[in-house]
Each structure stands twice: as structure tokens, then as C-alpha cells.
Amino acid sequence: METNSKMMNQVEGQQKNLVHAIESLPGSGPLTALDQDLLLLKATSAATLSCLGECLSLLQQSVHQAGQPSHKPGASENILGWHGPKSHSTEQLKNGTFGSLPSASANITWAILPNSAEDEQTLQPEPEPNSGPDLVLSEDEKSDTEDKEETELGVMEDQRSVILHLISQLKLGMDLTKVVLPTFILEKRSLLEMYADFMAHPDLLLAITAGATPEERVICFVEYYLTAFHEGRKGALAKKPYNPIIGETFHCSWEVPKDSVKPKRTAPHSPHSHNHDHPSESYKLRFVAEQVSHHPPISCFYCECKEKRLCVNTHVWTKSKFMGMSVGVSMIGEGVLRLLEHGEEYVFTLPSAYARSILTIPWVELGGKVSISCAKTGYSATVIFHTKPFYGGKVHRVTAEVKHNPTNTIVCKAHGEWNGTLEFTYNNGETKVIDTTTLPVCPKKIRPLEKQGPMESRNLWREVTQYLRLGDIDAATEQKRRLEEKQRVEERKRENLRTPWQPKYFIQEGDGWVYFNPLWKAH
């Protein structure tokens, strides 16, 4: 044990000397502190040191447990007598004081998923305390024509130095809540709007109510759930939407042609044709999202279709972690789909997301096991998003199984790719294939900027978005800095007055959040 501790301390000392030598190099000349190879060496040496510490701790823990079965130390105990690499403090990381970090004006295009960083939380002048929900007129909404597809091809050589330098400061497993990533590695939409884009196939959502039996309805929900993610993650690259600020909201709606909402799986297709543009021939699905909490960062969204008596209420806490050359984002929370016509509630969870290959061409994959369950009917589903093995294997794989728990009967299985082709097999022998790439996307309707309030996502971030589109990174960074400063001022004001934040549209109930005027409470 003493030898192990001494060895690790020696390795840590050598790594610190290496980092010091690199950071002491001059800022110009044939060899600088920002040399690509030296930055890669610095980053990998820090990651290697962390890995060695973790591995030795696990090995020593196993030996210790075998010798003393009555004592079971936790993974966090300092068995080796080594306290881990003395990296930069949390405060230094939080404030971005890395010393030799290159200028923030570097033209970075790499991006990751939401990381919930504190400094990403920004605030415009907030509405009056306890002000009621705003009246959003759906007749003001127009079809959204913005093209969200990103065109970046990956990380350019002159951009990699900033990323390498940042990685070299981080420890494996570190919670990125306290870490300020470069402020301009952004996708040009808010996380709240990304949640709305998960609703891009509202016809499949509304079709759930048409199921004639509980079995058909739960299968329809699983079909909708598996097709929801590909449109929310537009493009192949890993993107990082704007982190919503406390009090930020996003409103939109969909006009869903009635003849696109197919009846239950076993029924013949309706032969009738409808005029899609006439309001009476469409279902209206309305959506509102709000950032309700800063610590922890919690987003809520609610959507409803009054005519179909269907609504969804969801709260999500995004929590991220550094994983070497990847970033993992856990989506903590749950949603509830309510079918009021049938008196059914389907509780569901969300998968984790990972930004991979962050130094080359970053890409997103989903991972983890999620559940869908209805207590009233006894049906449940397990969905597994499979991450790609280190060697070989396919990407974006997903499998699902729907079960009737009282009889322990599997009624449906599914497999395929969440952003590609999905095949469903039912217990009666039938099969069905859904190609997510060819599913028609229903464009959301949103009010123009001039009719949006100051805290609505697109209006709030409009200048940052404009500068990012123009490629003016300096101006985008400066505008973001102003928003951040406004948040700090408002947050200090609330702390001094001991006034908690009052969300407009959602009310906390137990561990969750519920829309203030949900369909199931309406008279």
C-alpha cells in the first residue's frame, strides 16, 4: 500500500512537471505552449493519470475486501493514500481562469449537448414578480421556416487547441456543472425549442388515442416514442443548444390534418380526403416550455390537444459529465402522457446522450434503458438505446419490448436505429417497418419575433443567433456576456431579498412540476 501511494505521488509529480514545462514555453516562436502535439500530450497525460488512479483504487479495494470482508469501503475512499491529481480548482474552472487559455475569439464550431454550466445560465430583466401567465394568441402563429440544419464539418485544425487545452484541465468523471466551456460552441436554438422539435410527428402522437384496446394504445405510444428523437437531433454533428435561462419560455403549436392521424393498427385506412389547410379539418396541438429552476437546472414542457383529450407533462434536469474524449448528459426526470378519454396515464423516462469524438468530427449517440408504464392497464415497455462498442458494432441501435405484466406476456418487440429504420413485430405475427428518415415532418407554428415577449427563447437569444449566423464570434460572445451579467445581477437581487423564483406556467408538486392549467383539471 505504501509502495502504491509513493508510486502514484511520483507519477503525479512527473505529470505536474510536464504540464509546468509546457505552460512555461514562450507564447511565440518555433515551439509554444499551444503547439498541437504538446496540447494533446498534456490532455492525454491528465486523463492517463486519472485512469491510473481509478484502476489502482479498484484493484486495491478488491484486495482489501477479500482480506477484510466485514469492511466494504466505497469507491470514494482513499485506500491508496493518494488523493488524486491536484488539478485546477473548481473556482478556477468556473471562472475560466486557465492562465494560458487562448483567446475566446477563436472561431470554434465544435459543440456538445447541454451541459448545464452555471455561466451558461443567463437572464434578461425578469418579469414582474408573481406575474401571471402570458396570453399567447395562436392566431398570431405562423409556420416555422427556419432551417436548423448545421453545416459545420467538424473541428478545424486551428480550433482544436482550445478544446485540447480545456480537456487537459478536466478530470474524468468531473461534473461539468461548474465548468465553463467556450461560450460560442452553440447550436442556434434553445434547449426548450429542441424539446419542441421532439414533437415533429404529432400525427403519431395523436393516433395513440385511436387505439381500440389498451394493448394497441401502448404499442402506438412506443412507436411514437422511438420516432421522436431523430428530428430533435438534427444533423449528424453533436450540437449544444443554448442552455435555457431561468424564466425563459418557448411557445408553439401544430396544425395536424385529421386524415393524417391514422386509426388503430388493425383498422383499414380511411378513404376520405380532407383539405389540410382548413382549420376545421385539423387538430390543434399546443406546446409551452419553461425553465423553472437554476439550481438544479430544470426544464418543463407541456403540450395538449383538447379535441383528442390528450396531454403530455414533462420535467427534465440535464446533468453532464466529462468522459475523456466524450461528454455524457443524463436526462433526469420523467414525463406523463394522459389519455383522458380512456383514463390512462403513461409514465416515461428519457435516455442519456453522449457527444463522441470531440476532437475530430463530433457526433451524438443515445444510451441507456428507459421505461414506459401504465398502472391502470398493467402494460409496460422497456426501451434500450445501445451505445456503440469500442471495437466494431453498429451505431444508434435501439431495442424495445412491450409486456402485459399481469399475464407476463410480451405483445410487441422492436429493433433498429432510432434515426433510421425500425422494425416492429407483434404477437399475432404481423410486422411493421418505420423509416424515420422518410416520415413527414409537421412544421411547428410560432409567432414572429416582434410579437414575442422578452423572455421567449428566440427573442431572448436573437442577437446571439444573428451573430453566429454571420460568423461574428466576437460579437456573439460579447452579447452572451451581457446576458450573463444581467443574470448575475438579478440572481444577487433575489438572494438579497430572499425571494424565490416564481415560474409562470408550472407549479412544483412533490419531486415534479405540473402545468398550471392542465387538461385533466379543466372543467
Side-chain angles (χ1 to χ4, degrees):
M1 186 180 298
E2 193 172 323
T3 302
N4 286 334
S5 176
K6 184 177 180 181
M7 183 184 303
M8 286 304 302
N9 284 327
Q10 287 177 345
V11 173
E12 181 190 356
Q14 291 171 353
Q15 197 266 344
K16 285 177 62 177
N17 290 339
L18 172 65
V19 171
H20 178 72
I22 293 174
E23 294 184 344
S24 297
L25 289 171
S28 60
L31 190 64
T32 72
L34 299 182
D35 179 83
Q36 296 289 309
D37 292 333
L38 291 181
L39 282 169
L40 182 59
L41 177 61
K42 194 167 87 169
T44 53
S45 68
T48 301
L49 183 63
S50 295
C51 285
L52 283 174
E54 291 288 334
C55 292
L56 285 173
S57 294
L58 291 172
L59 288 172
Q60 187 64 30
Q61 179 177 321
S62 299
V63 173
H64 193 84
Q65 288 176 335
Q68 300 182 36
S70 61
H71 176 59
K72 297 183 179 180
S76 61
E77 290 192 45
N78 185 25
I79 301 170
L80 295 173
W82 182 66
H83 297 272
K86 299 176 180 63
S87 62
H88 293 268
S89 69
T90 297
E91 194 63 28
Q92 284 178 303
L93 291 169
K94 180 173 144 184
N95 294 324
T97 54
F98 291 136
S100 60
L101 184 65
S103 168
S105 63
N107 184 18
I108 302 298
T109 59
W110 170 75
I112 64 168
L113 289 165
N115 60 37
S116 310
E118 281 193 9
D119 267 23
E120 291 291 331
Q121 298 287 339
T122 56
L123 194 62
Q124 284 274 39
E126 62 184 65
E128 290 297 315
N130 302 316
S131 59
D134 296 322
L135 178 63
V136 177
L137 299 176
S138 59
E139 54 264 32
D140 291 336
E141 294 175 332
K142 300 178 181 179
S143 291
D144 184 26
T145 58
E146 283 197 13
D147 182 11
K148 292 295 189 305
E149 201 73 36
E150 299 287 335
T151 57
E152 291 92 342
L153 299 179
V155 180
M156 306 300 290
E157 283 299 321
D158 60 346
Q159 300 161 356
R160 192 171 284 113
S161 60
V162 175
I163 303 168
L164 278 167
H165 187 92
L166 177 64
I167 291 173
S168 72
Q169 315 298 318
L170 305 178
K171 293 169 62 175
L172 292 180
M174 177 180 285
D175 183 351
L176 294 183
T177 300
K178 303 293 184 181
V179 178
V180 180
L181 297 178
T183 58
F184 33 75
I185 52 174
L186 300 171
E187 181 181 357
K188 295 178 280 291
R189 63 172 172 173
S190 171
L191 177 62
L192 297 185
E193 182 169 354
M194 190 184 83
Y195 289 139
D197 289 333
F198 286 148
M199 313 293 293
H201 305 303
D203 52 325
L204 297 181
L205 176 65
L206 297 183
I208 298 171
T209 62
T213 65
E215 179 180 319
E216 289 182 342
R217 289 191 289 273
V218 70
I219 289 174
C220 284
F221 184 31
V222 172
E223 290 177 356
Y224 164 74
Y225 185 94
L226 291 178
T227 60
F229 295 96
H230 78 103
E231 188 66 20
R233 291 292 348 136
K234 294 198 177 189
L237 288 183
K239 302 296 179 182
K240 179 187 174 300
Y242 306 137
N243 279 349
I245 67 172
I246 192 168
E248 179 182 336
T249 62
F250 182 81
H251 302 265
C252 69
S253 67
W254 294 265
E255 295 282 353
V256 187
K258 289 185 176 180
D259 66 350
S260 71
V261 178
K262 302 295 191 298
K264 64 182 185 297
R265 173 167 50 94
T266 55
H269 178 66
S270 172
H272 301 294
S273 176
H274 298 288
N275 180 357
H276 294 185
D277 296 325
H278 197 285
S280 64
E281 302 300 338
S282 298
Y283 296 115
K284 176 76 129 184
L285 185 67
R286 300 188 63 185
F287 177 96
V288 58
E290 180 178 14
Q291 191 73 4
V292 299
S293 173
H294 184 190
H295 299 294
I298 298 175
S299 307
C300 296
F301 64 86
Y302 173 84
C303 68
E304 69 174 26
C305 177
K306 291 183 178 179
E307 191 172 355
K308 298 291 283 183
R309 301 188 66 203
L310 170 151
C311 62
V312 180
N313 191 102
T314 305
H315 64 275
V316 184
W317 165 23
T318 54
K319 187 175 184 181
S320 59
K321 184 176 291 187
F322 177 63
M323 302 167 62
M325 293 299 149
S326 300
V327 173
V329 184
S330 299
M331 310 290 275
I332 303 168
E334 67 178 26
V336 180
L337 165 69
R338 288 177 170 85
L339 307 180
L340 301 186
E341 181 181 347
H342 306 287
E344 296 169 357
E345 297 182 2
Y346 297 83
V347 180
F348 61 92
T349 56
L350 297 167
S352 296
Y354 302 90
R356 307 293 195 192
S357 305
I358 59 180
L359 284 180
T360 53
I361 300 179
W363 55 283
V364 169
E365 70 171 339
L366 302 179
K369 180 186 291 188
V370 302
S371 63
I372 299 170
S373 62
C374 179
K376 177 181 177 180
T377 65
Y379 283 95
S380 67
T382 299
V383 180
I384 301 177
F385 293 86
H386 302 268
T387 54
K388 182 183 181 299
F390 191 77
Y391 292 106
K394 295 182 178 179
V395 296
H396 309 312
R397 286 183 57 238
V398 62
T399 56
E401 188 175 271
V402 184
K403 180 185 288 187
H404 183 240
N405 295 299
T407 59
N408 201 33
T409 303
I410 296 174
V411 299
C412 176
K413 287 187 175 183
H415 67 90
E417 301 170 348
W418 58 266
N419 59 354
T421 301
L422 297 160
E423 181 175 341
F424 297 83
T425 304
Y426 311 103
N427 61 353
N428 63 359
E430 292 182 4
T431 60
K432 177 179 180 179
V433 175
I434 297 177
D435 186 351
T436 63
T437 63
T438 61
L439 284 176
V441 172
C442 183
K444 58 183 179 288
K445 302 185 73 172
I446 186 170
R447 288 170 300 140
L449 286 177
E450 61 269 18
K451 294 192 176 183
Q452 292 184 22
M455 296 299 290
E456 293 190 54
S457 297
R458 288 196 184 176
N459 198 17
L460 178 67
W461 294 98
R462 69 187 187 282
E463 291 188 23
V464 177
T465 299
Q466 177 185 353
Y467 289 130
L468 286 175
R469 282 186 178 139
L470 294 172
D472 191 340
I473 304 302
D474 287 342
T477 303
E478 172 59 21
Q479 180 60 27
K480 189 167 180 299
R481 185 198 66 77
R482 293 178 183 176
L483 293 174
E484 291 168 349
E485 182 57 31
K486 287 179 181 179
Q487 178 207 336
R488 285 188 280 269
V489 170
E490 295 294 342
E491 188 175 16
R492 284 195 296 267
K493 184 190 302 182
R494 289 197 300 272
E495 288 177 354
N496 291 337
L497 296 174
R498 296 183 180 179
T499 304
W501 175 259
Q502 296 291 333
K504 274 180 175 288
Y505 298 100
F506 291 86
I507 301 168
Q508 189 167 14
E509 290 188 3
D511 294 331
W513 294 78
V514 176
Y515 186 61
F516 81 104
N517 186 30
L519 199 57
W520 68 87
K521 291 184 180 179
H523 296 294

